[in-house]
Structures are given as C-alpha cells and as structure tokens.
Amino acid sequence: MAADELADFHGPHVGPPWPGRTKLTWHEPFSRASRIRVISHTCECGKTMYELCAAAGLGFVRRTDRAKRTVHETAWMLTATAADAFGQILDGKAG
C-alpha cells in the first residue's frame, strides 16, 4: 500500500483547538433515516472520532468518544453546511 493510500485510509487528524473556537451543540442520535452514508472521517487512532455523514438529503457530523463510549450528532443540516462544520472541526476552529 502506498503512503498516500495509507493517509486516505486513516483519515485526517483533528487540529489543536483554537482559543474561542465555535462550540457545537451535540445531540443524542435519532434514527431519522434507514441508511446513513459516511462521506469522510477522521483518523481512528484517537479516543474521539468524527464522521461527516449524509442521509435523506441532509448532512450532519457524528462524534464517537471511545473513552466515554458515547455517540452524538450535530443537528441535521444542508450537506454543504455540515461539510463546513466538519472542516472547522478538522482545523480546530469548532468542536
């Protein structure tokens, strides 16, 4: 496996949190759709993993905390807005 393929497999790491970063509201998962597609995800090496998800024409970010064994989601929103939130999480500007 080539190094660039390995990077794609593992996903990016979340950057360090910025001072004054945007605080996202996290909700308990609610079964709104029978199928959810994971568009992108962060590396699974940390205790917390984020996934950009799409379902029923909407997008959201799912947060899995392995240490606490919890799963939370942002509100479901336009897919482009969810992708922006996911990018801000990756940059450490939201969380």
Side-chain angles (χ1 to χ4, degrees):
M1 182 176 283
D4 58 339
E5 291 176 3
L6 189 58
D8 289 341
F9 176 75
H10 286 288
H13 289 184
V14 175
W18 284 37
R21 70 182 174 156
T22 301
K23 180 145 176 70
L24 298 175
T25 302
W26 298 98
H27 308 277
E28 294 290 326
F30 181 75
S31 182
R32 293 179 61 173
S34 60
R35 288 190 245 169
I36 295 174
R37 181 171 56 107
V38 175
I39 299 169
S40 186
H41 63 86
T42 60
C43 186
E44 296 185 34
C45 69
K47 70 174 188 165
T48 304
M49 187 177 104
Y50 297 89
E51 298 169 305
L52 173 60
C53 301
L58 297 171
F60 62 96
V61 179
R62 179 187 295 150
R63 178 185 69 189
T64 303
D65 185 325
R66 292 186 180 148
K68 296 178 183 177
R69 296 183 179 200
T70 59
V71 177
H72 292 95
E73 300 174 348
T74 62
W76 288 40
M77 58 194 85
L78 294 174
T79 304
T81 305
D84 183 55
F86 185 73
Q88 288 185 23
I89 291 168
L90 289 177
D91 292 340
K93 295 179 183 177

